[in-house]
Amino acid sequence: MMTIDILSVLPELLESPFSHSILKRARDKGLLEIRVHHLRQWAVNEYGQVDDYQYGGGAGMVMMPEPLAAAIESLSKERPYDEIIYLTPDGRRLEQRIANGLSLKGNLLLICGHYKGIDERIRDRYVTMELSIGDYVLSGGELAAAVLVDAIGRLIPGVLNDETSALFDSFQDDLLAPPVYTRPAEWRGMTVPDILLSGDPRKIEDWRHEQSLQRTRDRRPDLLKGE
Ligand code: ADE
């Protein structure tokens, strides 16, 4: 059983993403536990303060160290974390390889930043991994955390019905996935490639591989160069 704890000032944002489809199944099957914690529980005062002005001046608030430290320490007592991950646009770019690795871990703690981010000392002291989901800025780490949990959750052994299906996803072998078709074989004058109707598994496999290669060359040549 994998457990993922998430620290957030906007836990409402994280209710729906984990309550449907594959992640719901993972939770229902007892393969994945997700707990969202409101950082305000560890606020420094009765007003629920968790952020403050930044030293040196400049617009935007910074999340204070003490509430985060208290939260991390209190949660760590319940379960030791394999990784404490801060979602941030200046983190390492998330890719399939990283999701694969994380899906094999036991306990993860995700920290969602807001405003200008979190006090640097929390990153220095507690955070073991910093991830970005892409080169654009979101208004908070919650949606990035949802993306990360989804990418990890579907890889946990036993979560997908057809256990092999994640192996053929785009990126698992540095290739994009081939095109797919379903019924009807002819739709509005457009047909399905004959080979897929041939019933010859070897030929179909070769065709799919060729299509993957071609699609990757056309759209993402960087993947083939191993960049
Ligand atoms: N927080 C804000 N923007 C983000 C991004 N692109 N990735 C991860 N966390 C973020």
Side-chain angles (χ1 to χ4, degrees):
M1 152 89 99
M2 172 178 231
T3 62
I4 301 181
D5 288 294
I6 307 178
L7 263 179
S8 164
V9 289
L10 268 177
E12 299 84 358
L13 263 181
L14 292 167
E15 270 160 28
S16 174
F18 310 133
S19 305
H20 307 279
S21 185
I22 288 171
L23 289 187
K24 178 177 192 297
R25 175 144 38 97
R27 299 174 88 178
D28 290 347
K29 278 189 179 173
L31 297 168
L32 173 63
E33 185 185 350
I34 301 170
R35 303 193 308 177
V36 181
H37 307 273
H38 204 316
L39 185 65
R40 294 219 190 276
Q41 285 174 251
W42 292 279
V44 292
N45 56 31
E46 70 217 66
Y47 309 110
Q49 187 183 359
V50 294
D51 60 342
D52 209 336
Y53 296 101
Q54 59 175 312
Y55 277 121
M61 307 293 272
V62 173
M63 288 167 68
M64 304 167 81
E66 190 50 35
L68 283 164
I72 293 166
E73 283 168 10
S74 141
L75 293 170
S76 299
K77 272 194 203 121
E78 282 177 50
R79 51 180 63 150
Y81 292 108
D82 297 308
E83 300 285 355
I84 297 181
I85 302 172
Y86 175 46
L87 284 311
T88 173
D90 61 8
R92 179 169 172 209
R93 192 112 51 93
L94 176 64
E95 40 172 279
Q96 191 63 47
R97 236 178 297 280
I98 299 175
N100 291 351
L102 290 174
S103 74
L104 303 172
K105 305 254 174 180
N107 303 321
L108 303 178
L109 175 61
L110 311 186
I111 301 174
C112 305
H114 260 268
Y115 325 110
K116 283 281 161 192
I118 67 175
D119 189 287
E120 190 69 18
R121 291 166 290 185
I122 291 297
R123 301 170 69 160
D124 295 341
R125 170 72 59 93
Y126 300 100
V127 170
T128 61
M129 188 183 246
E130 302 189 325
L131 293 177
S132 161
I133 64 161
D135 288 345
Y136 41 82
V137 176
L138 303 167
S139 46
E142 282 77 10
L143 295 180
V147 166
L148 178 62
V149 170
D150 190 288
I152 295 172
R154 58 192 295 286
L155 297 172
I156 297 172
V159 168
L160 293 181
N161 272 340
D162 177 359
E163 272 218 49
T164 59
S165 68
L167 297 177
F168 295 104
D169 287 341
S170 283
F171 306 114
Q172 281 300 8
D173 48 9
D174 282 330
L175 292 178
L176 300 182
V180 293
Y181 299 86
T182 185
R183 287 187 289 183
E186 185 179 337
W187 173 77
R188 298 192 183 183
M190 300 161 84
T191 55
V192 171
D194 285 337
I195 220 154
L196 293 178
L197 310 175
S198 71
D200 182 335
R202 283 264 325 262
K203 276 199 185 138
I204 292 173
E205 197 187 315
D206 288 349
W207 179 86
R208 285 184 170 149
H209 185 64
E210 192 43 53
Q211 291 287 316
S212 281
L213 276 172
Q214 195 175 316
R215 188 157 274 201
T216 311
R217 276 194 294 265
D218 290 347
R219 301 182 180 197
R220 293 293 306 277
D222 58 299
L223 292 177
L224 294 172
K225 286 181 209 124
E227 275 164 9

